[in-house]
Amino acid sequence: ETHYAYVAIEQCHGGRLSALAEPDAAMYWRSLGANNDQFLLYAFPASNSDDGDAVAELRSRAVRIADLHLGIARTPNDLDYPRWVPVPIVDDQFCVHTAATWDDCLRAVAGFMGQGSLVQGSEGEGRRAGPLWRVHVFAAITGAPEAVGPATVVVLQISHALGDGRRVSDLARRLLSDEKSEHRDRDASMLPSATGVGIVADIAAAMVGVATVLPRLAAATVVGLLAWRSEQPPAGLPVIEATPLNLPADGAVELRTITVSRDGLRRYGPSVTVSVMAVLAHVLAGVGGATSEGQVVAEVTLARPPTVRRRNNFHTVAVDLHAEAEVADRAGLIGDQIERAQRRDGTTARRLERKAAGLVPAVLDSLAVRLGRRAPLPTHVAGATVVSSVNRGPADLMLGGRRVLFTAGFPALSPVHGLTHGVHGIGDRITVSIAATGHAAAVVDDYARAVAAALRR
């Protein structure tokens, strides 16, 4: 099974160790203390074959995808960045679940989100490399959106260290495609060598990390000063007072989805993301998402142009949804903010800031992540909720000879975000996915109905 991965590894990487890029390592370290795994859901009409046929089909595709053979080896005491290492694909990564209805399926996925991350579950203290993904299969589900009969639902649970929303959506596309030829990752330099495993490799990586602490600090300082002198753009995100949606959230996770046509959203704004945000603005104010002054602000993830080494390559911006404006005007105001944020992110100063961050020694980066987990909850936040949007391409994915109906995704909840939104499109269907806990979970049904009514108006 590991033949495809090892061939790609030895041909593309020449036997060298491959360390995670700084943003990917940060995602990995965060996953040791919280579940930031991604959950990509795809629904298909149920076929006449049994569950074992679906699993066999998925497994036969998985062995041809080099990224799905990757694990992560943590350097002792985080003296250097973690390394990519090869791991085998095992039976436990394909899980068939019993669920009768669509609501049962969503409850099961919500339960996965409330558990530990794959890294926590497979690595204990994070030293031993284990699988970074798992497939959940729900067969013969009734009541699934867009389905005229029973549906088969496939959920890819995958570590955020393996990639951002775009990259893991590309992985899911390969996993759910009938393409039989071996795929070579477009970012082949990320593949590790089989020699990068074991005690000797741990010691070597630690020694390299110790030796490079001072040079990396010096380089990061120089580049940081260049960034400061270049433009001095506003640092960080604007902040608002915490809303009821940002209060500490305990209790179960609740998930809801709304699927609509792509064409139906075009009357609201120039893009799917802007259209959905324009619709959410007024509804969020009704469930505690507004400040005392009536301002509704969302944190929105925006993709950056692909780079060679970074698998997580996006930034987050705070966007005022202008709940006081008419929908048509609101869409223009939201779009303008996003455009300005993208231009700002492409400036020389911002590029140098990212380069400086990538030069920080691993031990300090890891410490910052741990301290962040222990920090008191803030009284001010960048947004009342989170919106993440990915176009997952044409609706040509297949399972059991059946074409995909729709796709959904659920951005992770956090101690300061009790409500998140995923906006995912495939073909002409767009699904708005809602994940809620705490205060937001108590009102999620009313909220989902209001969002659905506004999207379909």
Side-chain angles (χ1 to χ4, degrees), residues 51 54-55 58 95-98 135-139 152-155 399:
D51 301 340
V55 168
L58 293 168
C95 308
V96 179
H97 302 275
T98 301
V135 169
H136 305 275
V137 178
F138 300 85
T152 296
V153 175
V154 176
V155 179
L399 184 67

Side-chain angles (χ1 to χ4, degrees), residues 15 22 43 46 57 60 91 100 123 131 133 152 156 178 214 244 260 268 286 354 383 402 453 455:
E22 182 272 334
E57 185 175 355
S60 69
D91 290 342
E123 300 188 11
W133 60 275
T152 296
L156 174 61
D178 277 335
L214 291 179
V260 297
Y268 294 115
R354 293 194 287 276
R402 308 298 177 97
L455 289 171

